[in-house]
Amino acid sequence: PFCGNCHFDGNPTGLDLTPEQSYEQLVSVPSAANPEMNRVEPGDSANSYLMIALNDGSHEGMISDGQMELLIEWIEAGASAE
């Protein structure tokens, strides 16, 4: 998915997920909705707010099961920038 279609600089959520900004906006950054959780907690997808947001029904149909698995694997592997 290209999350930057909805999450771009200047959008109402304040979250810019364009390719140039997504890593800095997600990894080890507190969630605006739940500041006690990071948006992405490297090595811990279960405690990454991104996973809660993607599973709450508000993003239904925007990410495939395969893409979700890749995202989980990336987080569990440490959420590397590379």
Side-chain angles (χ1 to χ4, degrees):
F2 181 61
C3 302
N5 284 339
C6 296
H7 296 283
F8 52 88
D9 186 30
N11 78 76
T13 68
L15 183 58
D16 182 353
L17 296 180
T18 56
E20 301 81 16
Q21 297 297 318
S22 60
Y23 189 83
E24 290 80 16
Q25 292 273 318
L26 290 174
V27 179
S28 300
V29 175
S31 165
N34 183 352
E36 294 180 12
M37 294 183 81
N38 283 337
R39 291 174 173 156
V40 170
E41 182 63 43
D44 191 356
S45 62
N47 285 305
S48 294
Y49 189 80
L50 177 63
M51 302 313 298
I52 293 170
L54 290 175
N55 286 300
D56 72 0
S58 65
H59 294 83
E60 192 169 336
M62 295 183 187
I63 185 167
S64 71
D65 291 342
Q67 291 167 324
M68 184 69 86
E69 281 300 314
L70 286 173
L71 186 55
I72 292 169
E73 290 174 14
W74 172 69
I75 293 170
E76 291 297 325
S80 171
E82 305 192 7

